[in-house]
Every structure is written in structure tokens, then in C-alpha cells.
Amino acid sequence: MWRSIGFVALNILTVLGRDVSEVLKERKNLLETEMSMMLGRDIILSDSEIKANEIIMNLKYEVIDNGCRDPGVFNLSKHFFEYKEEIKKTTLYKIIKAMPKGAVLHAHDTALLDADYILELTYLPDLYVCFQEEYPLFLFSEDKPRSTCDTRWQLLKEARYSSGNVEKFDAELRKHFTIEVDNPKAVYSNINTVWNKFQQVFIITEPLFSYKPVWEKYFYDSLKKFREDNVMYIEIRSVLPQLYDLEGNIYDIKDTAVSYKNVLDQFKKDYPDFFGAKLIYAPLKFVNDISEYIKTAKELKNMLPTFFAGFDLVGQEDTMVPLKKYMRELVEAEKDLDFFLHAGETNWYGTDSDENIADAIVLNTKRIGHAFALTKHPLLLKEVKKRNIAIEVNVISNNVLKLVDDVRNHPLATFLAIDAPVVISCDDPGLWGAEPLTHDFYVAFVGVASKHADLRVLKKLALNSLYYSTIYDKDKLVHEFDIRWTKFIDSIVRDVNASS
Amino acid sequence: MWRSIGFVALNILTVLGRDVSEVLKERKNLLETEMSMMLGRDIILSDSEIKANEIIMNLKYEVIDNGCRDPGVFNLSKHFFEYKEEIKKTTLYKIIKAMPKGAVLHAHDTALLDADYILELTYLPDLYVCFQEEYPLFLFSEDKPRSTCDTRWQLLKEARYSSGNVEKFDAELRKHFTIEVDNPKAVYSNINTVWNKFQQVFIITEPLFSYKPVWEKYFYDSLKKFREDNVMYIEIRSVLPQLYDLEGNIYDIKDTAVSYKNVLDQFKKDYPDFFGAKLIYAPLKFVNDISEYIKTAKELKNMLPTFFAGFDLVGQEDTMVPLKKYMRELVEAEKDLDFFLHAGETNWYGTDSDENIADAIVLNTKRIGHAFALTKHPLLLKEVKKRNIAIEVNVISNNVLKLVDDVRNHPLATFLAIDAPVVISCDDPGLWGAEPLTHDFYVAFVGVASKHADLRVLKKLALNSLYYSTIYDKDKLVHEFDIRWTKFIDSIVRDVNASS
């Protein structure tokens, strides 16, 4: 009986039909509600910001509209190497470069500066080289090194000038300091091929960087470069190699951390507007037993309580030991250490590397590195939001390290849509010749986020990076950010007024 | 005060630490809960199914484990053209081929059969060809056609034999009937280049197919091929071209639909185990006014009430008219017509084509074609689930038509994870030389779904295709499916028992 009445009512409704304005209203409501769910929803723009936003959005629309019309001209769906220089020339890129971007929370210490910088290091005195078939060995030394070498050790300076063609010599040498190539899609046919090259660069450069004077110079120059890119603060991950010097000293890895702290102190003296740096000790997850790592981490924390941020484990996730194997040690350590674990940097759904995300969550990680696989895990995604675990997204890294060819398919789009706790970071910008943070912000904003995502998203991403940092005095940091932000907004509006 | 008590309590907990078993239990619980949310969760496997599942899963694990170890050997993250023949040789593919797969709910009528089949059609008598610079024109005719031709009309038979090399002639001709090429990533640099070729094949083959005898033969042979691929039922989308014959008759497009119905009746007589087909009238969305389309659709519905399923609009979504422009006509039509709208077949987040999904939803579409962009729309995704709108996923289509390079990034992974109303379909298998439905099921199962996704997912996807079809007597269809499914399961278990 009820069913047939319902049926009649439905039929009347169907026969009468709906009004188009009603349907359009429902459509508008759905899309507006979605916009009100997006990251940045809580940001209210000032009048100046509204003006700046209009400028920024017009520049963004132009890129996207041109791309829709002719996808061939849309750079951001290509490989990063194909467009990284070209976009630097654009006004929108320059605006994002000038923008205060907050903190870098996911970056590896020996991959911050690019191949040109490393090549320059090879002009330092006392550097020996041994050219081997696969890759060269380096060592700073007063005398000819006695360590194993397939061919022979020679002073790099001599090798360079006896080569007969310094330019060619340097160009060949430079190739060992970057994963950049002309035809990346052909050269790096899959994730293993690119990771092999990627890891090789770390191996090759290790003896260059772990020479104590270089170590300190490299970190100082990194801070300088990040500061120039309008980064206020950085938390760096390090495997903490043992440093050495010309006198034959091999330092304890705790000295490596101390050396960072000293450099930082000097840098802050030289540039008082820089807010600082912290260290995440992040050794490689290929050992069976991490208790030695944990012990070191605790010692570092005791020794450098204000500089040490926490613990992580790094390496190619698909081929290395899954977190679950280290569960006992990690659970034991959690009362002493904060975790910032890499997890889900993979395309392999339902495998150990994919499920590392669950481990990271139950281990109360403060932030997750990458979590690229997270959109395939509705419950884990919900938990990450509920527990307020920040997702450290590195879009360009995921492109060049072969997780996603077209960044428009990057899961960040979904993270932004649901206002997940996201921070944008850069991972290893030096290895692919990206600028410290601007490239990643640009690609995230123009290539991944909705066409509608505006200045509020940019501002919120910058604020998130401060909020999810471990810095003690966040209020001060945010206050300083606000001052810089206002200046930045004023400069956009002023520049346009001046040129119009 | 309360704050400091809370602080002390927290500290005690932190100092005491947790037991590892407790943490492992939480991890297990999270992952198991996720599994219980996945598509297929309501399927309970019989003893035989459990045995069959073990066989299937071991085959699947082998592919994935090998891929994890050496991503270079994992076919499914490559372009479909690179592996489509190779996977056909595998046991797992053969099992999925034998599996009753239910219904095909998203397929375009003139893209069901492959280039070899079309090439054979060119051996029919009375076929004339005009070779032009870009592509050839065809026409069946008693006499030399008088329609425009840049060069000259000649009998195809004569052109073929006067070419001096029939094999080469046919190979050249065949290229016009497929989008397959040797180096797809180089040839199709972006979505527009591949869509241009894709649309060209439709244009070239149109005068071949719309010759009435061929039209009927093609449909009959399509049904045959789909039936052989263990498809029970199909809902085809058609632009419904005007047919012609040798006598110079040009038929009304309603006759085109009638001709389908007649072929179907004959086919069902010849193959009583086939459950049938329905028609979705799906003209191109490039006109300003669709009222003529709507009128035709209503007439078709009146004329063929059991054969006509509903209405859709097709074409490259990024470049064609968005649904919102047709809102008035569509809202007016909704009391008379069921919609099965394409929407969100795009990478462009926040654009009209992306937001077509919202239009489709508010227009009460019964199913959505593709909805590739849906995971970027948390609210729309929720609505789709709530309103039980089936998502017609065509993984291989999205790969070859350049939405996703590596299917492991296909949004289907998320749809499966949340048990969204998904059906797997094939779109235009003839144009890329895929088998009717097996290739799509294989890629979805092995390449996109979780490693853990098992026989329950396969069965549920097949059942979904019946459930979300418009067939009247679903119970009968499901009953027949069950019988075939049981036979299929028994055959797997038997084959293994026999060979062991």
C-alpha cells in the first residue's frame, strides 16, 4: 500500500519535472561546498590579497587555458627536466619565488645543491680522483690516497689539465653529480633504473661532502640558497656520515651533527632573519637491526636537544626493509624519539612498501614522508587527518623518481581537495636541478591543484609548513611570516600598479 | 591546572611506553578494516571458490612479486600496446577470459571489432575508394560514386590488385582502422594528438559501417565476439548514423536502431544463451542545440521500448561543449529519458570537463562514463556512492587515450578501496586491438587493484555489471550468471587437480 502511494507520488514528480534553476542551484551548491572543503578554506583574504590574487589567478588561468586548448604547450604534464628552465622565466614563477614559503620539512642534506655547485667543489685543492669504469672515486688528501682504486689515484687538478679539454672534462665529471639527462623517459625506463642512478650520485659525492671543510661549507651554502628562495626554516634529514680531514682524522658521526649545529649558529649570526634548522637523523633502512641507529639518535637528542628533531629511515622503499620488521625497536624508541617516517613512496598497492603507511601511523609518526600511496587507503587517509599527521608531499621528486608521469594525476590533488594536513617540500632538489622550493610550489599550484585553487592555497601551504614544523617558538615564526607575507602582497600589487 | 594534569598523565604514558604486540594489533586492525571496506567485501567464497582463489592469487602474486623485484618486467605499468599480446599467453589471462564477466555497459558500437576485421570488410564487392592525402574515403556503390574526391574514385578491388603488392597495400590500409602504432608514446605526444587519430578512425570507417549490410553484419559479429569473451549482455552507445544501400536509399536514423534490434533478435535466436543488448543513443556533443537529439531519443524510446536504454552525449570532453550548456534541454528531458552521461574523462582539475561530473550527478544520470576525475572531488564521490550511480571504468581506454601512463595510478584503485559502485568496461576495444572485456578485467585486477584484491573483487565486478545494467529481468540474469560462475570455478579447480 505504502509502496504504491510512493510510486504514484514519484510518478507525479516525474511527470511534472524539475525546474532548471533548481538543478543549476544544486550543481552550484555541490561545487561550492567542495570549494569550501579545500585546503585554504579557513584563509580570509584582505583587500590587498584579493588584488594580488586576481593577478596571480589570471596568470594561472592563462597557463591552464592555453594547456586545455593545446595540451602540447602545457609543460607541467611533461617530465620535469623538459620544462624546469622554461618556467623560471614566467611572471607567475617569479611571484612564487618572491613569496615567503615558510619551512622546508622534507629534504635530504646532501642533495640540496646542484651539479654546478658540486663541480665547483672539485676545484678545491688536495682533491684526488680515481677514474673507474662505472664511476669515479674522490678523496681529499695531503698525499696520494692508499685506498683501493681500480686504476690509479691522481690529483684532480692534474687530471683536469692533462685532459687537454677542460670544458669537456668538466662536462663529463658533472654528469656524475646529477640525475639530469636529455631524454629521461628513455634513459630511466622504470623506477629501479632511476633509483640506481639516484643512489649512485649519493655514493659518488659522499667522499666529497664528508670532507669536513666541504661538509660545513655545503651546509652553509645550502642554508644561503634556501634563504634566498624565501624559505625561513628547514628540517633536514641526514644519514650523518663520518667526516674526515687532511690530517687523517675520522670523526664520530655525532661530530657530524655538531658540525651542522656550529654552521647553523654561524649562519644565523650572518643572517639573523633566518629562523634556523633542525636535524632528522635518517639512516638507510637496509640493515637487519636498527638498535645502533636508535642508540645514536638518543645520544644526538641528549647532546643537541634544541637542534635534534627526530628519527627516520630512508632508501628506495620497494627494495628495502619494510617498517614492520623494525617494529619492536621503533616501539621501544617512541618514548624517547619523535618519528618522521618515510612511507608509501610507491605505486605497488597492497605491498609492504604500500603498507608502511599503516606502520608509520601506528608508530605515531609526527609527519609522513611522501605517503604517495595514501589515496588508495581510505581508512589510513582518515586516520592521518584525524591524528593530524602532516603529509610531506614532494611532487617533483615523485615525477623524476618515476612514481607519476603526469603530475595532474598526483595524489596531492586529492589531499588538497579534502584539506588534508599537507606540506609541500623538495626532497632532493640538487639532484634534479630544481630551485630549493619554488619549483615544487609552482608545480603543485599550477600543475596539480584545481584551476580554482588560489592564493589561499598558497598561503595555507606556507602556513602548514610552519605549523607542522618542530620549531619551539611557532608564534614568533608565524608573526614574522605575516610581516613578510604582507610585504610580498604589497609588492605584487605595487608592481602591477607601477606597470599599468 | 587541568592542562598540567593532562601533561603529567601523558608523560607517564610516554615513559612507560607501549607494548609492541599492542601496536602490531592496531596495525593489523587498520589494514583488516580497510580490506573489509573494499569492493567485494560482501562476497563469501564457497569451498571451491576458495580453492580457485588460491590458484588465481598465486598467479597474481607471481606477476606482482616479479614486478616489485624488477619493475622492467612488469608489463602493466607500460603502454597497453607494448604488452597486450604478451599477457594473452598467461594462465591468469586465460582464466579471466574463461570467467563469466557479466555485462559490458560502456562500449561504442563502431569501435568493437579490430583492424583485421575491418580490413576484411574491404574485400566485400562494390566498395570504392578515393585515396586522398590525409586519409582514404570509402563508399559502397553500384557505380562509380559521384561525391567529392580530391583524387579519383576507384574500385577498391582494382586499387588493391593494381598496387602490385597486396600485402603492403593491405598493411597500409589497415593503419587507418586502428590507433595502434609501434611507438605510441612518441607518436601520441599528448591527449589531442591521440584523440585526433582516434576520431579520424571513426570518420574513415563510418561509410564502411553505415552500408546497411555491413552495419548488420558488424553488429552481429560484435555480439558473437563479446559472447565468446564470456560477456552475457551489452549496452552499446551509438551516434546512430544514417545507413545507405546500393540502391541509393538513405535510411532514417531510427531505422538504424531498428536494424540493430533485428540483428539482435536474430542473434538471440542463433545463440539463445546470450541475454541481449540495449541501445544508448549517444550523439556528439559539439552542437549548440541538442533538442533534435532529445526528440530522436524520445521517438526511439517509444518505438523500441525494450531495446532503448537511454541517452548520452559523446566526444573529446576537453574540447567539446560542457554539459552545463545543455542543462535546460537535459532537465526537460529527464522525465522521459534515462541518462548515462560521460563526465570527467579528463586530467584538467577544476575545468568544465572536470565539473561535468557535477552536472551528470544533478541530472540524475544512472551511470557515469569514466568519471576519471572523480577522486579529486570528495563530495561528488560521496554523492555518487550515496545515489548509487555506477562508475563505468575503462582502464585501457584511459591508458591509450593518454589520461594515465601507469595504470597503477588509475583512480579505480581508490574506487575499489571504498567499494564505490564500479563496473569495468572496454570503451572502444577494436580501436586498440583489445579483446572485448578480458584485457580490461585483467589490467584492472592485476595492474590497478590491491595485491590483496582477490576472486571476490572479480566476482563482484561481474555482478555489478549485471546489477547496474538496465535489463528488466535481472534476477534471471544473475541466476544464469551463478550457474556459469559455478561451472567456471569447477573448471579451474578441476584443471589444476588434473594437472597435479
Side-chain angles (χ1 to χ4, degrees), chain A residues 117 394 444:
Chain A
Y117 181 89
N394 307 284

Side-chain angles (χ1 to χ4, degrees), chain A residues 54-102:
Chain A
E54 209 183 300
I55 294 160
I56 288 171
M57 291 309 282
N58 282 335
L59 294 167
K60 174 169 168 172
Y61 291 154
E62 202 188 327
V63 178
I64 293 176
D65 292 344
N66 286 340
C68 279
R69 229 180 342 262
D70 177 7
V73 304
F74 186 68
N75 280 315
L76 307 193
S77 60
K78 299 175 188 168
H79 193 286
F80 177 66
F81 298 165
E82 292 180 47
Y83 65 78
K84 73 192 187 72
E85 296 307 323
E86 199 181 324
I87 61 172
K88 281 160 88 170
K89 299 172 204 154
T90 66
T91 308
L92 183 51
Y93 186 93
K94 286 171 191 161
I95 289 175
I96 293 173
K97 176 138 182 96
M99 184 182 95
K101 285 173 284 290

Side-chain angles (χ1 to χ4, degrees), chain A residues 248-350:
Chain A
N249 298 308
I250 306 283
Y251 295 86
D252 186 275
I253 75 165
K254 288 188 286 293
D255 295 327
T256 312
V258 171
S259 137
Y260 268 161
K261 178 69 171 63
N262 295 339
V263 171
L264 175 67
D265 291 343
Q266 182 59 49
F267 187 81
K268 283 176 71 178
K269 253 182 229 160
D270 299 344
Y271 299 95
D273 63 352
F274 190 73
F275 265 72
K278 282 201 179 190
L279 172 70
I280 296 167
Y281 177 43
L284 284 161
K285 49 183 159 188
F286 69 100
V287 296
N288 284 324
D289 180 355
I290 56 165
S291 47
E292 201 55 43
Y293 291 163
I294 301 273
K295 189 167 154 265
T296 303
K298 288 181 192 171
E299 286 166 7
L300 287 168
K301 190 184 172 188
N302 286 333
M303 212 169 70
L304 302 163
T306 60
F307 182 57
F308 182 84
F311 185 72
D312 184 17
L313 289 158
V314 301
Q316 188 186 354
E317 213 170 328
D318 292 331
T319 58
M320 291 211 171
V321 182
L323 290 177
K324 66 180 178 185
K325 299 269 182 197
Y326 301 133
M327 197 57 102
R328 187 168 300 277
E329 292 103 316
L330 290 169
V331 170
E332 266 174 38
E334 71 173 357
K335 64 180 184 298
D336 301 310
L337 297 173
D338 283 338
F339 297 140
F340 300 88
L341 298 165
H342 275 73
E345 188 183 2
T346 185
N347 289 120
W348 291 109
Y349 183 20

Side-chain angles (χ1 to χ4, degrees), chain A residues 409, chain B residues 79-80 106 191 194-195 342 344-347 369-373 391-407 410-412 415 425-428 432 440:
Chain A
N409 290 326
Chain B
H79 193 285
F80 178 66
H106 187 113
I191 193 169
V194 72
W195 266 88
H342 276 73
E345 187 184 3
T346 186
N347 288 121
H370 295 288
F372 183 88
I391 309 163
E392 300 165 346
V393 172
N394 307 283
V395 177
I396 295 169
S397 167
N398 300 150
N399 177 244
V400 299
L401 293 177
K402 303 278 294 176
L403 288 184
V404 62
D405 271 340
D406 185 334
V407 295
H410 195 287
L412 171 63
F415 299 154
S425 201
C426 53
D427 212 6
D428 308 280
W432 38 81
D440 277 280

Side-chain angles (χ1 to χ4, degrees), chain A residues 343-373:
Chain A
E345 188 183 2
T346 185
N347 289 120
W348 291 109
Y349 183 20
T351 61
D352 282 346
S353 39
D354 177 69
E355 290 169 0
N356 275 340
I357 299 178
D359 297 80
I361 292 171
V362 298
L363 284 164
N364 293 320
T365 193
K366 300 289 168 196
R367 304 191 300 258
I368 304 187
H370 296 288
F372 184 87

Side-chain angles (χ1 to χ4, degrees), chain B residues 101-387:
Chain B
K101 285 172 286 290
V104 160
L105 301 185
H106 187 113
H108 298 274
D109 59 345
T110 60
L112 303 179
L113 299 177
D114 66 14
D116 291 334
Y117 180 89
I118 305 173
L119 186 64
E120 260 183 57
L121 293 179
T122 67
Y123 277 82
L124 289 174
D126 306 311
L127 180 59
Y128 280 84
V129 65
C130 160
F131 286 107
Q132 302 185 127
E133 195 169 321
E134 207 179 351
Y135 56 82
L137 301 179
F138 295 102
L139 200 71
F140 286 95
S141 179
E142 274 193 327
D143 310 307
K144 188 178 278 205
R146 266 167 290 178
S147 49
T148 314
C149 156
D150 285 355
T151 55
R152 65 183 183 91
W153 284 105
Q154 54 186 321
L155 267 171
L156 180 55
K157 191 169 71 177
E158 283 169 12
R160 172 173 284 129
Y161 293 109
S162 68
S163 73
N165 186 337
V166 171
E167 206 173 321
K168 192 177 159 224
F169 179 91
D170 279 359
E172 285 302 311
L173 206 58
R174 190 186 180 281
K175 287 182 189 165
H176 295 293
F177 306 145
T178 177
I179 68 163
E180 272 185 81
V181 288
D182 285 339
N183 46 351
K185 288 189 183 179
V187 174
Y188 304 129
S189 54
N190 63 61
I191 193 169
N192 280 16
T193 49
V194 72
W195 266 88
N196 286 347
K197 172 69 181 175
F198 178 69
Q199 286 166 324
Q200 203 186 65
V201 177
F202 283 98
I203 292 167
I204 291 169
T205 53
E206 202 268 352
L208 284 173
F209 298 157
S210 59
Y211 175 48
K212 201 163 184 286
V214 169
W215 187 256
E216 291 168 356
K217 175 180 158 55
Y218 185 99
F219 187 49
Y220 189 95
D221 291 340
S222 296
L223 295 174
K224 206 168 152 190
K225 186 139 193 215
F226 276 65
R227 178 184 163 276
E228 284 164 6
D229 204 42
N230 290 299
V231 170
M232 298 164 77
Y233 167 84
I234 175 167
E235 290 182 9
I236 46 159
R237 282 164 165 91
S238 180
V239 298
L240 293 180
Q242 290 191 303
L243 305 185
Y244 70 99
D245 62 22
L246 287 188
E247 287 77 43
N249 298 308
I250 306 284
Y251 295 86
D252 186 275
I253 75 164
K254 289 188 284 294
D255 295 327
T256 312
V258 170
S259 137
Y260 268 162
K261 178 69 170 62
N262 294 339
V263 171
L264 175 66
D265 291 344
Q266 182 58 47
F267 187 82
K268 282 176 71 179
K269 254 183 225 157
D270 299 345
Y271 299 96
D273 63 353
F274 191 73
F275 265 72
K278 282 201 180 191
L279 171 70
I280 296 167
Y281 177 42
L284 283 162
K285 48 184 160 189
F286 68 100
V287 295
N288 284 324
D289 180 356
I290 56 165
S291 48
E292 202 54 42
Y293 292 164
I294 301 274
K295 190 169 154 265
T296 303
K298 289 182 191 170
E299 286 167 7
L300 287 168
K301 190 184 172 188
N302 286 332
M303 213 170 68
L304 301 164
T306 60
F307 182 58
F308 182 84
F311 185 71
D312 185 15
L313 289 158
V314 301
Q316 188 186 353
E317 212 169 327
D318 292 332
T319 60
M320 292 212 170
V321 182
L323 290 177
K324 65 179 178 185
K325 299 271 181 196
Y326 301 134
M327 197 56 102
R328 188 168 299 277
E329 292 103 314
L330 290 169
V331 170
E332 266 174 39
E334 71 173 358
K335 63 180 184 300
D336 300 310
L337 297 173
D338 283 339
F339 297 139
F340 301 88
L341 298 166
H342 276 73
E345 187 184 3
T346 186
N347 288 121
W348 291 110
Y349 183 19
T351 61
D352 283 346
S353 39
D354 177 70
E355 290 170 359
N356 276 339
I357 299 177
D359 298 81
I361 292 171
V362 297
L363 284 164
N364 294 320
T365 193
K366 300 290 168 195
R367 305 191 300 257
I368 304 187
H370 295 288
F372 183 88
L374 191 55
T375 49
K376 296 172 185 171
H377 293 278
L379 182 61
L380 301 186
L381 180 54
K382 211 171 149 186
E383 288 296 318
V384 161
K385 253 198 106 171
K386 198 174 84 186
R387 301 178 190 210

Side-chain angles (χ1 to χ4, degrees), chain A residues 18 34 334-335 362 377, chain B residues 14 18 34 334 377 452:
Chain A
R18 292 186 296 172
E34 274 210 337
E334 71 173 357
K335 64 180 184 298
V362 298
H377 292 279
Chain B
T14 313
R18 293 185 294 171
E34 275 211 337
E334 71 173 358
H377 293 278
H452 306 303

